[in-house]
Amino acid sequence: MSQWHVQDAWKEKLAEIGITDLQSALDFRGGTVMSDKKRSRTCKVALSGDGIVFVKHDLSTAWQATLRALVKLHKPVTKTERERLSVEQLKRLGFKSYDVIAWGAKTCCGLPDKAVMITLPVPGRSVEDIWYDKSDSKERKQMVLSVALEVLAALQNAGCNWRKDCKPEHFFVTEDNQVYLIDVERMRFGRSPLDEADQRAQKERFMSFLEK
């Protein structure tokens, strides 16, 4: 079984790079490789004009992840599907993240197998990039840190647990201090705020990346 979804406004642009259906999206190997792992790959692809998209592949799904989901009586999904669902949930909660313009997945024997997700880049620069950029003023760096920590606290109070992925490189801040979140596939959503110990530990981990 397979499924493929693409926003109408992006069908023509994606067709220009050879992506017209699920199989062509799964087979796509163009662009600049940003991450290449055993089970996943992410590429940055320039479109005609000034457009850029990121094509994220699940080359296969680890059976351990599927087994954990089944034991917990959850529907097993691929990594990119989990990431897409997290993006949607964050947006429902009022947070900003990237736009998913196309996605699809294949199953094998009823279980998740391969998948692909195509996203737009978020605006701004990461907190980590700004923090270590010598051309940015101390005032700007402190402002960026302040708004990022505000969003982190808001996430925690909303029951969003980013655990070890709570890093400055995943918080992008625009010139007008809007914060966008990336790489959110490991985000977990609870019904109550994180306890004080977890909140403190996450903030300390976040800050540890800015103390090099």
Side-chain angles (χ1 to χ4, degrees):
M1 181 180 176
S2 63
Q3 52 182 328
W4 172 245
H5 305 269
V6 57
Q7 292 183 16
D8 289 340
W10 289 94
K11 287 182 178 179
E12 185 175 340
K13 285 286 187 182
L14 293 180
E16 290 177 3
I17 60 173
I19 296 178
T20 57
D21 56 18
L22 176 59
Q23 194 57 54
S24 60
L26 290 172
D27 293 339
F28 182 82
R29 292 298 183 268
T32 302
V33 176
M34 307 298 289
S35 173
D36 192 1
K37 301 177 182 178
K38 181 180 179 180
R39 298 184 183 277
S40 64
R41 180 189 293 111
T42 300
C43 298
K44 181 180 180 180
V45 185
L47 305 179
S48 58
D50 296 326
I52 292 175
V53 296
F54 290 95
V55 181
K56 299 186 177 185
H57 287 104
D58 285 323
L59 304 176
S60 63
T61 299
W63 65 266
Q64 297 96 327
T66 296
L67 181 60
R68 282 196 300 269
L70 293 173
V71 168
K72 295 179 180 179
L73 302 180
H74 294 164
K75 177 184 176 182
V77 295
T78 61
K79 181 179 176 181
T80 54
E81 287 181 287
R82 186 165 61 248
E83 183 173 359
R84 177 181 59 82
L85 294 172
S86 293
V87 167
E88 292 177 356
Q89 178 65 5
L90 284 170
K91 289 184 175 181
R92 282 193 291 268
L93 293 171
F95 298 100
K96 294 179 173 62
S97 190
Y98 35 84
D99 291 330
V100 179
I101 62 172
W103 62 275
K106 294 179 69 173
T107 60
C108 180
C109 300
L111 298 175
D113 182 20
K114 299 179 180 180
V116 61
M117 180 175 69
I118 304 176
T119 70
L120 300 180
V122 297
R125 298 160 61 204
S126 74
V127 172
E128 187 172 56
D129 181 33
I130 296 170
W131 190 260
Y132 290 109
D133 189 339
K134 295 181 180 179
S135 66
D136 284 301
S137 67
K138 290 183 178 180
E139 292 76 14
R140 176 58 182 159
K141 293 177 181 182
Q142 289 299 325
M143 174 59 72
V144 165
L145 177 60
S146 176
V147 296
L149 290 177
E150 286 179 4
V151 170
L152 173 57
L155 285 168
Q156 295 170 335
N157 288 330
C160 304
N161 190 346
W162 214 348
R163 298 182 292 179
K164 291 185 177 181
D165 273 357
C166 176
K167 305 175 182 179
E169 66 185 70
H170 294 157
F171 291 70
F172 275 60
V173 183
T174 65
E175 287 298 322
D176 61 347
N177 298 322
Q178 301 295 308
V179 179
Y180 288 77
L181 309 173
I182 70 166
D183 292 346
V184 298
E185 68 270 11
R186 292 186 179 89
M187 186 80 73
R188 295 294 179 266
F189 300 93
R191 296 184 179 181
S192 57
L194 275 61
D195 62 42
E196 290 185 8
D198 285 338
Q199 292 194 28
R200 183 170 57 253
Q202 285 191 1
K203 183 177 179 181
E204 289 174 353
R205 176 172 173 76
F206 181 98
M207 294 300 299
S208 71
F209 291 95
L210 304 178
E211 297 172 353
K212 301 174 185 177

